[in-house]
């Protein structure tokens, strides 16, 4: 098959990939997006289980750059279901005439840097080869499924599925269903299917804290107010920490009276949203043990009140710190008041095996099931990258590099020895509502490419690395823009900064995917920048002002 020559190949057609395609095409680059999926949507294409919902409010779970579309595109509820998000992203692709540049059902198999050609050679499972100056992985944080290695997995005679590969035709009505896992996904799927199934058994290892989402229909007046304030809204979002559209609290939990503390918790419980409850109530829930206990106690008291069966309530009560990614739901705890829904504590009776007819726990019981749902999450962040063979200078493998030193990067964007590989949401990017961070990174990448391109005419000897490129398809040699590549020192300092910022965080003490603790054998390391989107954006601005500090020289001294 003939190799295709591109300026930029974007891998992944989610929020990041779609915007990168638009932005880089607008800059005059010849760009293509490939995706293994049969449609655009990225994470949302795959996660189509019942109840799949973004827990960022609708008005900011979208792009900020299409001002006209912001005013007109409809959203009916305060939160978007996966189908709404897919419809929105398809709408954006069509509205901006991008579909012609998206090649679906095309899985990247490998990407290799060619020093002689100064470009990337990307091969796909279909047998396509792309030669591209810029390689833009937009692979998502949550794309490689975590399928626990439970004995007997292959012996089950019923339907077995992971939430991130939901069979479209699966009808659960009248079925006996077991759900393993109760993170964000498990809580959503359990809440959505409980009313339809004959029996629902929830296999729970560690109970988590969930607060109401506050989802409800959008009133016309609310929409009008949002439309009128959109500029201010984005300004606030992009300068905040978590980019969730609320002001993060600056009040420590114990700087107010007990009555006031309870009043605030109650107010935020009623408003809804997990992030707002964790970070909008008080400033120190995730850094101060006493404040954390106060918030946990409040949620535990709610669980005790909602769940009528005290044995079920006992099993559902979280015992860890409230320090994982905060969850919210559309009535999760209420589902346990249904006679057909029960909770199995895997701390008391762990799964011993999966049998032909169901799940066997350590007490010898075989829980008979028709369907087993794995809501067991992802090999998150770096897992999206290390499952494909990505090789930089001198054939260095990204997987080997990250296996040895942890999944590091500069700014979540660039890795030394992987020139012109510019990641969207790579490891060490901001921990936030993602669309605004994705936009920030795409704009930074596009501006950096533009800056490099402006140097194409720089005199010989300056910024000399990679200044000549040979088009492997046409054979022509021409002056090329300098390569974009973080220095080892910059990566080291950024990693150190990310680590230092998270030192105080109680998140470090929880066994969640945020630090890679959910996958057995995975290195436990910081994988995010916890300094907030506002600070990240300031940092990027300063870097650009300093001539792309931390990158091998892009701008003349
Ligand atoms: P999560 O948050 O990683 O949750 C996975 C759940 O699966 C969690 O309850 C785990 O229990 C459970 N799990 C994982 N492995 C096992 C085994 N071997 N046995 C029993 N239970 C297991 O993934 P989600 O998909 O819910 O959410 C990921 C992100 O997607 C979320 O944060 C949002 O950003 C969207 P554990 O608690 O570890 O004991």
């Amino acid at each position: 098959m003939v190799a295709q020559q591109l300026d930029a190949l974007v891998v992944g057609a989610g929020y990041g990939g779609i915007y990168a395609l638009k932005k880089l095409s607008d800059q005059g680059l010849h760009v293509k997006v490939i995706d293994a999926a049969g449609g655009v949507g990225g994470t949302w294409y795959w996660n189509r289980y019942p109840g799949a919902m973004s827990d960022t409010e609708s008005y900011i779970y979208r792009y900020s750059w299409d001002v006209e579309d912001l005013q007109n595109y409809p959203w009916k509820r305060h939160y978007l279901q996966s189908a709404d998000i897919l419809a929105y992203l398809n709408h954006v692709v069509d509205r901006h005439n991008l579909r012609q540049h998206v090649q679906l059902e095309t899985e990247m198999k490998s990407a290799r840097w060619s020093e002689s050609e100064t470009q990337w050679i990307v091969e796909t499972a279909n047998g396509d080869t792309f030669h591209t100056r810029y390689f833009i992985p937009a692979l998502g944080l949550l794309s490689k499924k975590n399928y626990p290695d439970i004995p007997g997995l292959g012996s089950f005679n019923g339907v077995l599925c992971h939430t991130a590969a939901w069979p479209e035709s699966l009808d659960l009505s009248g079925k006996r269903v077991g759900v393993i896992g109760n993170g964000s996904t498990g809580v959503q799927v359990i809440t959505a299917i409980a009313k339809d199934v004959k029996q629902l058994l929830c296999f729970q290892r560690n109970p988590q804290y969930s607060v109401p989402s506050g989802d409800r229909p959008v009133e016309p007046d609310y929409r009008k107010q949002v439309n009128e304030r959109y500029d201010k809204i984005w300004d606030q979002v992009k300068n905040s920490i978590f980019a969730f559209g609320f002001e993060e609290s600056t009040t420590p939990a114990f700087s107010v009276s007990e009555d006031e503390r309870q009043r605030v918790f109650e107010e935020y419980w009623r408003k809804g949203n997990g992030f707002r409850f964790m970070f909008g109530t008080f400033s120190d829930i995730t850094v101060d043990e006493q404040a954390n206990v106060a918030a946990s106690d409040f949620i535990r008291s709610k669980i005790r009140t909602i769940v009528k069966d005290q044995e079920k309530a006992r099993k559902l009560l979280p015992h860890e710190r409230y320090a994982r990614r905060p969850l919210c739901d559309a009535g999760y705890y209420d589902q346990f008041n249904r006679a057909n829904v029960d909770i199995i504590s895997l701390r008391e009776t762990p799964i011993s095996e999966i049998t032909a007819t169901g799940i066997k726990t350590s007490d010898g019981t075989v829980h008979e099931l028709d369907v087993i749902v794995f809501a067991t999450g992802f090999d998150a962040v770096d897992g999206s990258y290390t499952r494909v063979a990505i090789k930089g200078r001198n054939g260095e493998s990204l997987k080997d590099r990250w296996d040895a030193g942890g999944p590091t990067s500069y700014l979540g964007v660039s890795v030394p020895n992987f020139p012109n590989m510019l990641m969207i949401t790579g490891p060490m990017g901001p921990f936030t509502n993602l669309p605004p961070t994705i936009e920030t990174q795409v704009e930074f990448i596009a501006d950096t490419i533009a800056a490099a391109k402006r140097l194409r005419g720089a005199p010989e000897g300056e910024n000399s690395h990679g200044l000549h490129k040979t088009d492997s398809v046409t054979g022509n040699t021409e002056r090329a823009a300098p390569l974009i590549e973080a220095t080892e020192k910059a990566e080291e300092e950024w990693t150190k900064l990310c680590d230092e910022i998270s030192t105080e965080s109680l998140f470090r003490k929880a066994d969640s995917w945020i630090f890679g603790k959910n996958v057995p054998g995975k290195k436990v390391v910081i994988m995010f920048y916890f300094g907030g989107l506002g600070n990240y954006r300031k940092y990027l601005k300063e870097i650009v002002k300093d001539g792309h500090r931390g990158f091998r020289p892009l701008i003349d001294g």
Side-chain angles (χ1 to χ4, degrees):
M1 206 172 278
V2 181
Q4 294 182 53
Q5 181 68 52
L6 298 167
D7 293 324
L9 178 71
V10 179
V11 184
Y15 271 90
I18 292 169
Y19 186 35
L21 169 60
K22 160 98 178 98
K23 187 85 186 145
L24 295 175
S25 302
D26 286 353
Q27 277 178 211
L29 270 67
H30 180 204
V31 190
K32 187 161 209 166
V33 176
I34 59 168
D35 197 303
V40 302
T43 305
W44 295 102
Y45 176 88
W46 299 106
N47 284 272
R48 285 190 272 175
Y49 56 86
M53 184 186 93
S54 159
D55 55 10
T56 303
E57 290 194 51
S58 308
Y59 69 102
I60 47 172
Y61 204 73
R62 55 196 61 252
Y63 296 118
S64 70
W65 45 265
D66 189 337
V67 176
E68 188 185 79
D69 203 45
L70 277 177
Q71 294 291 321
N72 300 323
Y73 190 78
W75 28 277
K76 294 194 193 99
R77 299 188 66 87
H78 279 256
Y79 293 88
L80 303 171
Q81 301 289 317
S82 62
D84 303 325
I85 300 168
L86 288 177
Y88 169 70
L89 290 174
N90 274 286
H91 155 81
V92 172
V93 165
D94 290 332
R95 177 176 158 80
H96 295 282
N97 209 13
L98 300 172
R99 205 170 288 277
Q100 54 184 315
H101 306 298
V102 180
Q103 184 176 319
L104 299 168
E105 294 176 342
T106 304
E107 188 183 358
M108 171 174 71
K109 274 288 170 217
S110 65
R112 172 173 69 80
W113 171 252
S114 162
E115 198 72 43
S116 57
E117 293 179 32
T118 57
Q119 57 181 347
W120 285 89
I121 299 168
V122 177
E123 290 181 333
T124 74
N126 313 359
D128 297 316
T129 304
F130 297 98
H131 289 228
T132 181
R133 178 109 181 122
Y134 298 105
F135 165 46
I136 320 274
L139 306 176
L141 294 174
L142 304 160
S143 96
K144 183 180 172 194
K145 296 186 276 293
N146 175 36
Y147 234 122
D149 189 16
I150 299 174
L153 255 186
S155 59
F156 185 55
N157 284 338
V159 176
L160 195 143
C161 66
H162 193 285
T163 44
W166 193 263
E168 222 165 315
S169 57
L170 184 59
D171 179 7
L172 294 178
S173 50
K175 301 265 170 42
R176 297 165 305 171
V177 180
V179 176
I180 304 176
N182 52 285
S184 183
T185 304
V187 161
Q188 288 185 342
V189 77
I190 287 166
T191 308
I193 66 176
K195 63 181 186 318
D196 301 323
V197 302
K198 182 174 172 196
Q199 189 197 18
L200 178 56
L201 294 181
C202 306
F203 293 84
Q204 168 201 266
R205 207 161 53 178
N206 289 295
Q208 294 201 41
Y209 299 86
S210 187
V211 308
S213 66
D215 189 25
R216 60 194 187 284
V218 165
E219 302 293 336
D221 191 49
Y222 174 87
R223 176 65 196 258
K224 188 168 164 275
Q225 283 179 32
V226 168
N227 275 8
E228 285 166 4
R229 294 180 50 245
Y230 249 130
D231 283 352
K232 285 201 179 82
I233 286 171
W234 286 121
D235 189 52
Q236 190 279 334
V237 165
K238 290 179 185 177
N239 286 298
S240 69
I241 300 173
F242 297 105
F244 264 80
F246 61 85
E247 297 286 345
E248 286 92 9
S249 172
T250 51
T251 308
F254 281 82
S255 66
V256 302
S257 69
E258 171 68 16
D259 282 357
E260 173 61 4
R261 207 163 35 249
Q262 296 306 317
R263 188 199 64 72
V264 171
F265 283 143
E266 188 64 43
E267 180 191 330
Y268 279 73
W269 175 273
R270 267 190 276 108
K271 273 187 190 160
N273 189 301
F275 274 83
R276 182 157 47 210
F277 188 88
M278 188 179 256
F279 299 105
T281 48
F282 296 104
S283 59
D284 52 354
I285 303 290
T286 62
V287 289
D288 180 83
E289 295 280 7
Q290 202 191 4
N292 193 270
V293 168
S296 327
D297 281 349
F298 178 86
I299 302 175
R300 271 194 290 264
S301 75
K302 288 291 186 189
I303 301 170
R304 278 194 206 94
T305 312
I306 298 168
V307 182
K308 303 299 173 217
D309 178 324
Q310 287 310 294
E311 181 57 6
K312 289 185 195 174
R314 183 186 66 77
K315 291 180 184 164
L316 285 162
L317 287 183
H319 39 79
E320 298 175 327
R321 289 177 187 84
Y322 180 35
R324 298 194 192 199
R325 181 202 187 281
L327 310 186
C328 64
D329 64 81
Y332 172 63
Y333 297 113
D334 297 288
Q335 306 312 314
F336 294 91
N337 291 331
R338 294 177 189 274
N340 65 329
V341 180
D342 207 354
I343 183 97
I344 314 268
S345 166
L346 298 181
R347 290 174 70 84
E348 294 168 10
T349 53
I351 296 175
S352 42
E353 63 175 312
I354 291 180
T355 70
T357 57
I359 295 178
K360 187 173 179 185
T361 43
S362 63
D363 57 353
T365 311
V366 176
H367 302 275
E368 305 277 338
L369 299 164
D370 304 308
V371 180
I372 300 177
V373 174
F374 280 79
T376 45
F378 302 87
D379 177 356
V381 193
D382 56 320
S384 313
Y385 291 80
T386 52
R387 66 177 166 164
V388 277
I390 300 179
K391 294 196 170 162
R393 281 186 205 284
N394 306 317
E396 182 181 0
S397 136
L398 189 65
K399 181 176 185 315
D400 290 351
R401 183 182 176 94
W402 285 352
D403 279 351
T408 53
S409 81
Y410 182 40
L411 310 168
V413 169
S414 178
V415 180
N417 273 351
F418 293 78
N420 284 0
M421 177 181 89
L422 299 163
M423 302 178 290
I424 303 169
T425 69
M428 307 282 178
F431 182 72
T432 66
N433 163 37
L434 280 176
T437 285
I438 283 169
E439 280 191 24
T440 300
Q441 291 186 328
V442 169
E443 285 159 14
F444 176 75
I445 288 168
D447 291 350
T448 308
I449 288 176
K453 221 175 148 194
R454 281 196 295 276
L455 287 175
R456 183 179 284 179
E460 201 71 52
E462 291 178 39
N463 311 300
S464 56
H465 46 270
L467 270 181
H468 288 92
K469 86 168 180 182
T470 306
D471 185 322
S472 61
V473 178
T474 64
N476 294 337
T477 299
E478 61 176 58
R479 286 181 71 79
L483 303 176
I484 302 167
E485 181 184 358
T487 64
E488 297 277 357
K489 184 166 171 275
E491 184 197 48
E492 213 174 282
E493 284 173 3
W494 180 251
T495 306
K496 195 161 160 260
L497 178 70
C498 290
D499 195 53
E500 278 168 10
I501 290 174
S502 75
T503 316
E504 304 283 294
S505 174
L506 297 174
F507 271 55
R508 278 187 97 119
K509 299 185 174 167
D511 289 343
S512 81
W513 62 268
I514 293 169
F515 282 83
K517 293 192 197 171
N518 65 326
V519 175
K522 189 165 170 167
K523 224 183 181 81
V524 175
V525 281
I526 175 82
M527 292 204 283
F528 287 97
Y529 168 73
F530 278 99
L533 182 58
N535 286 327
Y536 181 74
R537 289 172 67 87
K538 270 188 218 143
Y539 203 94
L540 294 185
K541 264 195 196 136
E542 283 165 20
I543 285 170
V544 173
K545 218 170 107 206
D546 291 354
H548 285 84
R549 169 164 45 89
F551 288 90
R552 293 180 65 190
L554 267 186
I555 309 291
D556 289 3

